[in-house]
Amino acid sequence: MVFSRLNVSHASHSAPGPALVPALSRALTLLDQQIADLDVTAIEYLEHVADPKFTDEQISQLEAFVQAHGGGPETPTGNLRDTSLSLGQGGDLFRLNCASCHGFSGAGAPLSAGKLAPTLKHASDTQLFTAMLTGPENMPVFNDNQLTPNEKRAIIDYIQTLKESNDPGGSGIGRIGPVSEGLVIWVAGIGAIVLIIMWIGAKS
Amino acid sequence: MTATRERETASEPRSRRNQPRTLLGKTGEWFEERLKVARPTRHYLNKVFPDHWSFMMGEIALYSFVVLLLTGTFLTFFFDAAMGEVRYNGSYQPLQGVEMSQAYASTLHISFDVRGGLVIRQIHHWAALMFIAAMLIHMGRIFFTGAFRKPRELNWIIGISLIVLGVIEGFAGYSLPDDLLSGTGLRIADAIMLSIPIIGSWVSFAVFDGEFPGTAIVGRLYIAHVLLIPAILVALITVHLALIVRQKHTQFPAAGRTESSVSGERVYPIYAAKAGGFFFIVFGVLAGLGGFAQINPIWLFGPYNPAQVSSGSQPDWYMAMLDGSTRLFPSWEIHGLFGRYTVPAVFWPTVVLPTILIGLALAYPFIEARLTKDRAKHHLLQRPRDVPVRTSLGAMALTFCIVLFISGGNDLVAAAFDISLNAMTWGGRVALIILPPLAYVLTYRICLGLQRHDREVLEHGVETGIIRRLPTGEFIEVHQPLGPVDDHGHGELNYAGASVPKRMNQLGTGALRHARGFFRPVVEKPEIAEKLAEVEESEEASDAAERRDKIAVELEEVEAERRHQLTD
Amino acid sequence: MTHSTANIPGPDELREMSPEEAMLAGADSGGVHVVHRRQRYPIPGTKAEKRAERGVSFMFGLAALAGVAFIVVFVAWPYVYHLPGEGSQRFRFYTPLLGGLLGLMLLGLGFGAVLWAKWLMPEEEAVEERDDEPSPDEEKLMTAATLSVGFEDTGLQRRRMLVGSLALAGGALATVPLVALVGALIKKPGNQLAHTLWGQPPDKYPNGVPVIYSDGRRVSPNDIQAGGLATVFPGVPGGITSANTPTLLIRLRPNQTVKSRKGQADFGWGDFVAFSKICTHAGCPASLYEQQTTRLLCPCHQSQFEVLQDAKPVFGPATRPLPKLPLGIEVVDGTQYFVGRHDFVEPIGPAYWERP
């Protein structure tokens, strides 16, 4: 999964000069295309992770270039979990805006026609923040006016805390709900008990 | 004797010689004097139950139900079936301060702030999943062996009703916590109710006390879940078991088993020990699941909010069939019926389809009886291979159901196997039409093949794996005949519906009494070993004689049985 | 019962017999014939028997130990939930330990009982007569006579007026409890399903119903970027909690044009469109928005709606487009804020018989 640290989008920067605008637009379109081309279809269950096409350094350089020519949202710094909202409020925001694609525990889900909303299991704080801000690929864009940075940090706090926290009920079996529970009851539950009744009914 | 004593001489004088002396005897006498229990006690303690392993699957369901009752009662002491909004103030920090219904808050309370609450809650939910799964495999056994035939059609109907009620009970149960996942399911249930022609919106408004979600539904589901449906379930299960006691269990045909007797073990003490032990084993497995495998983690789902939903929202596994049918059914809706009415698309896969399936299931014994023109009573079971049409129909129905089950989780399957979501939908639609007939044909051929193999082994004997070279140079495999052979060496035994041994170790030949001991054989003291050898020899001699007589009688009985069945 | 009762021994005979013989006689008298019975250890006290007894006792002993351990863990093990780094994480073993120890205890009991039957109790096979013949003719005749004479006694066959009035009374008995107990549950839907809280009297909200986020803030066009979406609600009492009102406010890119449905061409505002979030198939929020393909995917049954065609369903079981909310703008203190001009022009969510 790739979350570009490049925080520009088409509509948010002011045009610096007539000649530069078309060039910049083209560059940005290309960038978008690069990101869209990235292969996110690895085989692992929902853990589709791919390497970014650009190194961190290259992304910083691209970012500096765009900032120098009109600018746009920047990669956030500092503690991205520092928020005035509670975990509960962060969770509420997550469920309202994010869970419909990424699942209530961030496990990810398929979108239409082969697309994918990836798992959040490997996402860092920065990746989460910049993804919300830029809306990579088919993910919607969550402006800082729509979801304030404070709210974004609350969502990050919630998701990262959830990832680190332990399951009180034993093994989380994937934290994806009834499907894995159904598999467990049939394979482990009924399976074990049928083997046992075959043993009970056996005659020596 | 005194005057009072004389009045007691209905049967015989109660002299001191006849008074019970042990505690058990005295207890028995106490009940006997009030309830006259001597003969019924013996009657029920001596009842015979056959002990084939596949007969214990219904017990799994029964014991899971008992576990449900026990753990459910505990939960009712802590659950609050109200939908008033409260702010959470318990020990699960990620939800602190969040507004939620009392039902959700009390479920969090059970899970985090009641000692042992979570393990009981999880055992309860696993037991519910086990209950329905066990009922389904039990139903499968009944179906494929023909145990639903006369005189047991009534028990079949009760059984199907138990499954339907169990599914509804489970749905009501997991909707009680009012979490985001089950609330989404309730929303869909509302849409299903709305889709019913003519009365749909009235049904929805009656159930939810107005528009969805209202504030009444959790309380109403609660009463249905802890009182109404359990009462019906208990009543039906009691009748179900009473009918088995009255009609006695079926059994597979074998030597010594006829339509007019049932063989196995007596209830007391052997069968009771096994059955009672099995209850603890089922309970133990459920306790293990409840401890080690987290289930229905509602704190991860969040409280129900009609504006929120999670991807990968599925109902519990037993509803997956309906979810699948809803996902696969095309967008076919009837508009403008009679000029202005709508029949929504949801109606067909969620109301019509289950009604047809349940109706077919209920009617099946009568349909089959009519088509086979079979009006006889049957206490002997049929091996699935011997009734290829029914077995293939069953395989077809099973395939249909499995395609729907998988389609119920088609988004997770799509993600796991990297298949397009749209392709899963289309694939499911096509598979639903094509695979069941394929399954029918395949199963039919397999049944016929198995039947032929049975008769082949009866005719030619069991393959021993011993290769012998004849003087002529030809290699042959030595076969062990199963019974008397004619001049050509072909077996004369007819197939009588019993399992045919196919391997040498099923014949019990050369079976010495196995040595006991795990790491080292258990060696008795010499004098004891001698006595044991004597006892075993005499037993073997009498056993052998017994066996010879038995076989002769059995062969006669089996032939008589076969003639009896053919003439019915 | 038509068992072979011919040979029930008398009480004196029974007292002479060994208990085992008496038991067998008792079984026979009830139609149960023990055809094979063998003590597993004909010579008591052998090593094999002791070994078997030890095995079964071990199971029960294990169960007892596990039970004690369960009680200790139940009382003494920490079970309070803590976030990582904020307290002991040992709570995560509480439930597994309880379940495991309880399971061990129950399995010990269970396997102990089964092994007791398999290893120590005698081998036995019994045959029970089914007693399956139909009732003798005399029984059937007498019962038939009882039923028919009883029916004649009621006189229902001849007394027409009685039958008629009984039928009427019976009909009342069948329906009145239903009415009394279930009647109060019935509520008239009216046309409630066709309206949402977005439809307010114009005199109360002359500029339109304010569009707000879930935290109550009003929504301004500048909030949302092209390719973004927000869940919005009407800023009226109950607007956030109602199940009918959640709405998706989507900002399209300037080059994306919407092919509107009839009569809804002016429902958008600028690059913005707003659709009911409630899927028209079965009511789940259809909120998986793919901003590049402009599809809305509903996670429940995979219906897909094409935003550029006014949320027309293009895949899956949904049949009707998502209703569109007519957007307007109200300027307050120099800032533009969205309003809903009037209610959706069709019922939102799943359909029903009398849907207009």
Side-chain angles (χ1 to χ4, degrees):
Chain A
M1 150 196 79
V2 167
F3 290 119
S4 162
R5 289 203 302 117
L6 195 57
N7 306 314
V8 263
S9 76
H10 300 289
S12 68
H13 60 275
S14 48
L20 214 42
V21 170
L24 205 51
S25 296
R26 262 202 316 278
L28 291 168
T29 318
L30 272 170
L31 213 51
D32 241 298
Q33 201 55 48
Q34 301 270 37
I35 297 165
D37 281 346
L38 284 163
D39 179 13
V40 285
T41 56
I43 300 298
E44 265 177 291
Y45 166 67
L46 282 179
E47 298 193 11
H48 296 47
V49 182
D51 297 318
K53 280 255 161 89
F54 301 109
T55 65
D56 270 354
E57 204 194 321
Q58 286 173 314
I59 291 177
S60 304
Q61 288 169 349
L62 281 162
E63 207 184 326
F65 174 78
V66 177
Q67 287 297 100
H69 296 279
E74 297 182 51
T75 309
T77 50
N79 181 6
L80 292 179
R81 295 199 209 176
D82 182 20
T83 173
S84 64
L85 298 173
S86 68
L87 264 184
Q89 287 165 307
D92 235 356
L93 285 167
F94 177 79
R95 283 187 290 273
L96 184 62
N97 295 294
C98 323
S100 56
C101 291
H102 289 286
F104 53 82
S105 59
L111 300 173
S112 72
K115 300 188 279 290
L116 182 77
T119 174
L120 305 178
K121 199 167 159 188
H122 308 293
S124 69
D125 294 0
T126 313
Q127 285 172 327
L128 289 173
F129 197 104
T130 54
M132 284 190 264
L133 203 47
T134 61
E137 290 209 19
N138 275 296
M139 176 165 164
V141 183
F142 293 97
N143 203 323
D144 273 345
N145 291 333
Q146 181 188 346
L147 270 181
T148 64
N150 194 26
E151 286 175 331
K152 286 197 176 71
R153 290 196 294 268
I155 294 179
I156 293 171
D157 192 18
Y158 178 77
I159 256 296
Q160 303 293 51
T161 306
L162 209 64
K163 275 156 63 175
E164 293 160 5
S165 63
N166 290 304
D167 291 305
S171 159
I173 49 173
R175 286 187 179 177
I176 54 170
V179 172
S180 48
E181 294 160 10
L183 274 173
V184 166
I185 196 64
W186 276 100
V187 174
I190 294 282
I193 297 195
V194 167
L195 288 173
I196 290 174
I197 60 179
M198 289 173 90
W199 167 74
I200 294 180
K203 298 220 196 296
S204 56
Chain B
M1 281 194 226
T2 63
T4 37
R5 281 280 165 83
E6 274 170 355
R7 244 182 280 131
E8 288 175 56
T9 54
S11 44
E12 56 174 55
R14 281 161 52 92
S15 63
R16 298 188 88 220
R17 188 168 70 105
N18 302 335
Q19 294 279 38
R21 256 167 264 145
T22 61
L23 179 61
L24 192 62
K26 290 198 179 115
T27 316
E29 185 68 13
W30 193 90
F31 281 103
E32 166 66 20
E33 285 178 338
R34 288 153 182 75
L35 299 170
K36 198 167 166 187
V37 294
R39 189 149 130 190
T41 307
R42 198 177 73 244
H43 172 73
Y44 287 108
L45 290 181
N46 276 338
K47 276 221 163 281
V48 170
F49 281 91
D51 54 358
H52 193 262
W53 66 266
S54 66
F55 298 167
M56 300 181 85
M57 301 200 278
E59 279 175 58
I60 307 176
L62 177 66
Y63 301 147
S64 307
F65 183 68
V66 173
V67 173
L68 282 170
L69 289 176
L70 290 170
T71 52
T73 306
F74 170 90
L75 293 173
T76 63
F77 294 148
F78 296 96
F79 180 71
D80 188 5
M83 289 173 85
E85 295 281 297
V86 291
R87 276 198 190 279
Y88 180 66
N89 198 15
S91 52
Y92 183 65
Q93 278 117 299
L95 282 172
Q96 259 166 16
V98 174
E99 259 195 29
M100 55 182 64
S101 61
Q102 288 157 288
Y104 188 76
S106 65
T107 313
L108 287 175
H109 180 68
I110 292 175
S111 305
F112 291 101
D113 294 300
V114 172
R115 254 188 212 281
L118 185 59
V119 77
I120 305 269
R121 203 187 133 237
Q122 297 199 153
I123 296 178
H124 188 77
H125 203 136
W126 283 117
L129 301 192
M130 178 78 83
F131 178 53
I132 301 177
M135 281 198 287
L136 281 182
I137 60 173
H138 174 63
M139 170 185 166
R141 196 284 288 175
I142 301 289
F143 178 81
F144 285 111
T145 56
F148 56 82
R149 294 174 296 163
K150 177 173 171 182
R152 294 179 175 80
E153 303 101 320
L154 199 55
N155 242 2
W156 170 263
I157 292 175
I158 294 178
I160 302 287
S161 313
L162 283 171
I163 295 179
V164 173
L165 279 173
V167 166
I168 297 174
E169 174 81 343
F171 175 78
Y174 73 71
S175 302
L176 290 179
D178 195 30
D179 56 277
L180 186 56
L181 185 61
S182 62
T184 307
L186 270 180
R187 187 73 206 247
I188 300 175
D190 183 41
I192 295 173
M193 285 182 235
L194 282 173
S195 76
I196 302 173
I198 306 174
I199 54 168
S201 52
W202 292 81
V203 171
S204 161
F205 271 61
V207 169
F208 286 93
D209 197 34
E211 275 193 275
F212 179 88
T215 49
I217 187 63
V218 169
R220 290 179 177 184
L221 284 174
Y222 187 60
I223 278 299
H225 183 79
V226 308
L227 179 67
L228 298 174
I229 302 183
I232 304 177
L233 283 173
V234 167
L236 284 180
I237 292 176
T238 308
V239 176
H240 197 73
L241 293 175
L243 284 176
I244 298 175
V245 171
R246 175 99 174 91
Q247 293 177 321
K248 302 184 188 54
H249 207 282
T250 52
Q251 59 187 14
F252 284 104
R257 305 226 187 108
T258 64
E259 285 281 5
S260 56
S261 68
V262 56
S263 85
E265 294 157 340
R266 293 180 302 130
V267 167
Y268 176 73
I270 299 177
Y271 188 76
K274 285 195 192 168
F278 187 50
F279 164 68
F280 287 110
I281 292 178
V282 170
F283 199 166
V285 170
L286 289 173
L289 279 171
F292 292 113
Q294 184 167 272
I295 184 170
N296 204 27
I298 52 143
W299 51 90
L300 295 177
F301 304 154
Y304 180 60
N305 182 325
Q308 296 173 359
V309 73
S310 167
S311 63
S313 282
Q314 259 91 12
D316 272 7
W317 77 265
Y318 42 86
M319 306 282 297
M321 229 178 102
L322 280 187
D323 198 6
S325 67
T326 316
R327 292 179 190 210
L328 294 184
F329 193 79
S331 53
W332 295 338
E333 196 159 272
I334 301 179
H335 291 136
L337 190 62
F338 307 133
R340 58 157 303 206
Y341 295 113
T342 310
V343 180
V346 196
F347 178 62
W348 310 104
T350 57
V351 180
V352 173
L353 181 68
T355 308
I356 293 178
L357 291 178
I358 297 173
L360 273 177
L362 285 171
Y364 187 81
F366 308 101
I367 298 174
E368 188 184 278
R370 172 157 300 192
L371 290 177
T372 57
K373 300 199 179 30
D374 183 1
R375 285 188 220 301
K377 276 203 271 201
H378 295 286
H379 300 294
L380 285 179
L381 298 170
Q382 298 165 303
R383 299 172 79 204
R385 68 188 65 185
D386 294 331
V387 273
V389 174
R390 181 203 300 148
T391 305
S392 307
L393 281 176
M396 199 163 97
L398 200 61
T399 311
F400 185 80
C401 292
I402 290 179
V403 171
L404 286 183
F405 271 113
I406 296 178
S407 299
N410 63 2
D411 49 352
L412 291 178
V413 175
F417 297 107
D418 219 27
I419 305 171
S420 148
L421 198 57
N422 297 29
M424 284 296 298
T425 306
W426 274 111
R429 287 168 178 167
V430 169
L432 200 62
I433 313 285
I434 295 190
L435 288 185
L438 275 179
Y440 183 96
V441 171
L442 198 65
T443 311
Y444 195 83
R445 303 307 310 175
I446 294 176
C447 285
L448 289 186
L450 288 169
Q451 280 186 36
R452 287 200 195 109
H453 190 240
D454 281 341
R455 282 155 184 79
E456 200 239 311
V457 170
L458 280 170
E459 201 175 302
H460 293 125
V462 172
E463 293 170 354
T464 60
I466 300 171
I467 309 293
R468 190 165 282 167
R469 191 170 192 190
L470 300 179
T472 56
E474 185 188 342
F475 283 103
I476 56 160
E477 181 179 11
V478 176
H479 285 228
Q480 167 65 49
L482 290 173
V485 296
D486 65 10
D487 308 326
H488 299 272
H490 287 150
E492 286 175 337
L493 281 177
N494 287 309
Y495 181 72
S499 181
V500 176
K502 303 278 179 74
R503 290 193 301 276
M504 284 304 289
N505 64 356
Q506 289 170 328
L507 291 180
T509 55
L512 304 164
R513 288 242 197 263
H514 68 280
R516 294 186 216 268
F518 196 75
F519 296 108
R520 286 187 302 272
V522 174
V523 176
E524 306 285 352
K525 292 207 203 77
E527 57 272 21
I528 296 187
E530 255 181 52
K531 259 201 272 175
L532 260 180
E534 270 176 38
V535 168
E536 278 182 24
E537 253 183 57
S538 67
E539 273 182 0
E540 259 183 50
S542 69
D543 267 356
E546 226 183 271
R547 261 202 301 272
R548 274 197 297 275
D549 295 334
K550 240 175 103 179
I551 287 180
V553 168
E554 283 162 12
L555 281 177
E556 275 179 42
E557 278 178 358
V558 160
E559 267 304 299
E561 196 49 51
R562 206 175 56 88
R563 267 182 261 125
H564 172 66
Q565 272 187 356
L566 284 175
T567 55
D568 260 341
Chain C
M1 294 189 216
T2 55
H3 296 305
S4 35
T5 50
N7 290 330
I8 296 188
D12 294 316
E13 226 184 300
L14 280 166
R15 285 195 202 101
E16 301 293 311
M17 291 182 187
S18 69
E20 186 155 343
E21 287 170 341
M23 181 274 281
L24 291 171
D28 278 334
S29 79
V32 174
H33 311 293
V34 178
V35 298
H36 173 73
R37 184 178 162 88
R38 182 184 164 271
Q39 296 292 342
R40 290 187 200 268
Y41 302 99
I43 301 177
T46 55
K47 277 201 202 160
E49 185 186 10
K50 290 214 188 78
R51 190 170 164 274
E53 187 182 346
R54 270 202 305 273
V56 176
S57 309
F58 171 76
M59 289 291 166
F60 289 136
L62 190 66
L65 279 175
V68 170
F70 176 92
I71 295 175
V72 170
V73 167
F74 185 88
V75 170
W77 193 275
Y79 71 98
V80 176
Y81 182 89
H82 292 117
L83 288 175
E86 290 185 18
S88 161
Q89 293 296 297
R90 292 204 286 170
F91 68 87
R92 59 200 259 245
F93 301 114
Y94 188 69
T95 299
L97 274 173
L98 286 184
L101 290 169
L102 181 64
L104 207 61
M105 180 183 101
L106 293 166
L107 288 175
L109 276 165
F111 280 107
V114 172
L115 289 174
W116 187 5
K118 270 176 167 274
W119 286 352
L120 291 173
M121 292 188 189
E123 273 174 36
E124 203 185 270
E125 185 159 334
V127 174
E128 183 177 4
E129 295 164 28
R130 279 202 185 267
D131 183 25
D132 203 28
E133 302 85 41
S135 310
D137 282 340
E138 57 264 27
E139 298 279 354
K140 290 202 266 198
L141 287 167
M142 291 190 285
T143 305
T146 311
L147 287 169
S148 63
V149 170
F151 187 64
E152 273 176 51
D153 285 347
T154 64
L156 283 171
Q157 267 195 318
R158 310 181 272 115
R159 299 183 174 140
R160 292 279 139 142
M161 190 164 59
L162 182 60
V163 173
S165 58
L166 183 63
L168 288 173
L173 185 62
T175 45
V176 165
L178 212 62
V179 170
L181 295 176
V182 176
L185 293 172
I186 309 285
K187 273 189 136 92
K188 184 173 176 203
N191 62 353
Q192 289 177 69
L193 289 168
H195 301 303
T196 74
L197 287 173
W198 284 108
Q200 295 289 335
D203 47 324
K204 232 168 147 200
Y205 294 92
N207 295 331
V209 175
V211 173
I212 58 171
Y213 297 109
S214 60
D215 57 8
R217 283 184 298 138
R218 289 195 70 166
V219 181
S220 174
N222 281 333
D223 291 348
I224 305 178
Q225 207 152 312
L229 100 163
T231 304
V232 298
F233 306 86
V236 299
I240 296 180
T241 50
S242 161
N244 296 337
T245 54
T247 302
L248 288 170
L249 182 63
I250 301 173
R251 182 169 189 170
L252 298 165
R253 298 181 190 279
N255 58 341
Q256 290 170 326
T257 44
V258 175
K259 177 165 166 274
S260 299
R261 290 163 60 205
K262 203 158 70 152
Q264 294 190 155
D266 63 341
F267 278 25
W269 186 88
D271 288 335
F272 289 85
V273 281
F275 296 105
S276 165
K277 195 171 179 178
I278 308 301
C279 182
T280 54
H281 176 236
C284 299
S287 54
L288 283 78
Y289 180 53
E290 301 169 7
Q291 57 132 321
Q292 286 182 351
T293 59
T294 54
R295 279 204 183 187
L296 276 170
L297 170 66
C298 180
C300 288
H301 309 111
Q302 283 87 51
S303 298
Q304 290 156 33
F305 302 91
E306 176 51 72
V307 171
L308 296 182
Q309 291 182 49
D310 253 6
K312 177 179 155 199
V314 291
F315 186 82
T319 55
R320 281 155 284 106
L322 297 173
K324 197 168 178 182
L325 184 73
L327 289 171
I329 285 288
E330 182 187 12
V331 179
V332 176
D333 293 338
T335 316
Q336 292 177 317
Y337 293 110
F338 277 116
V339 290
R341 299 206 307 261
H342 54 80
D343 204 353
F344 302 98
V345 294
E346 52 193 343
I348 62 110
Y352 46 100
W353 176 255
E354 65 271 21
R355 184 178 192 272

